[in-house]
Amino acid sequence: MKVVFITANDRRVEAQAEPGDNLLRVGQAAGLPLEGTCEGQMACSTCHVVVARDWFAKLPAASEDEEDMLDLAHGVRPTSRLSCQIDLTPDLDGLEVEIPSESRDMRGV
C-alpha cells in the first residue's frame, strides 16, 4: 500500500507501507520532517499532519489526549491529526496527508 505526503513546497512524496505500520514511522523512513520526539508519551505535537478531507472520515476518532496535543500544534486545521496516532489499515491505501509549513523539526534538520 502507499501513502502520499505533501510537503510545504507542494512536493508529493509517495511512501510504501504495510497494514499496521504507523504513519509517523512511514514518514520518517521516507526522510520527511516529522519529529516524533515524544517517544509515544504524547508530550509534543511535532508529528502533526493535515489529512486530506476525503480520507479524514476513514480514520478513527482522535482521543482526548490527541485533541489536547493538537491544541499545541502550529497550523492546525479541521482535519489535523498526529501522525503517531495513525496506524495504517488496508482501507487507507493511498492516504494523502500534508505536512504543514508551520511544522517544526526539533532536530534542527
Side-chain angles (χ1 to χ4, degrees):
M1 63 185 293
K2 76 174 180 178
V3 177
V4 179
F5 294 89
I6 303 166
T7 66
N9 61 2
D10 289 328
R11 182 173 63 110
R12 295 173 65 85
V13 176
E14 289 189 13
Q16 293 300 310
E18 297 293 327
D21 285 349
N22 181 269
L23 185 62
L24 170 64
R25 301 291 177 231
V26 171
Q28 288 176 329
L32 296 166
L34 293 171
E35 182 76 27
T37 56
C38 72
E39 299 297 322
Q41 301 303 310
M42 290 189 68
C44 69
S45 57
T46 56
C47 69
H48 164 229
V49 295
V50 179
V51 179
R53 197 166 292 280
D54 294 344
W55 291 99
F56 188 75
K58 294 182 180 187
L59 297 176
S63 69
E64 190 173 318
D65 286 340
E66 181 179 359
E67 292 288 346
D68 289 345
M69 287 300 105
L70 283 168
D71 287 342
L72 305 174
H74 295 277
V76 172
R77 295 189 221 144
T79 61
S80 289
R81 293 294 301 269
L82 298 179
S83 63
C84 67
Q85 297 300 299
I86 300 173
D87 291 326
L88 299 170
T89 59
D91 59 325
L92 295 176
D93 185 21
L95 175 67
E96 291 189 13
V97 298
E98 177 185 344
I99 300 173
S101 59
E102 299 89 352
S103 250
R104 296 175 294 150
D105 190 333
M106 307 291 271
R107 296 172 296 183
V109 180

